[in-house]
Amino acid sequence: KDIEFIRSYYYNKLELTRFSSSVGKYVGFTEYGVRNAAAWNNNPSELSAMKAQKEVYCLNNIQTDYTAAL
């Protein structure tokens, strides 16, 4: 429950859009990012794919990463 998957989209060092598994949707930070976030949030397959990334990427690798850190 302490693990969070975040995918951010940047252009010229400016964060445009971010998906956070704790929020469960895309959030835009610029005008362009807000438009993209709205489009992606209206696509159920995009949201379900991003929500699944937490289990696919994070939960499968956490033990390996935790062991390597110690």
Side-chain angles (χ1 to χ4, degrees):
K1 293 183 180 183
D2 295 339
I3 300 170
E4 182 178 11
F5 175 78
I6 298 174
R7 177 169 287 170
S8 297
Y9 297 91
Y10 289 87
Y11 182 74
N12 282 344
K13 299 181 183 179
L14 178 66
E15 187 174 20
L16 304 175
T17 310
R18 177 189 302 166
F19 176 85
S20 173
S21 63
S22 63
V23 177
K25 66 177 186 174
Y26 286 94
V27 177
F29 298 104
T30 63
E31 182 181 344
Y32 180 71
V34 169
R35 286 196 314 256
N36 281 335
W40 293 334
N41 288 332
N42 287 329
N43 186 347
S45 63
E46 176 70 23
L47 283 179
S48 63
M50 291 305 291
K51 289 177 184 177
Q53 288 299 309
K54 179 179 177 181
E55 291 184 25
V56 170
Y57 184 76
C58 298
L59 297 179
N60 286 335
N61 294 315
I62 190 63
Q63 187 61 41
T64 305
D65 294 343
Y66 182 72
T67 304
L70 295 178

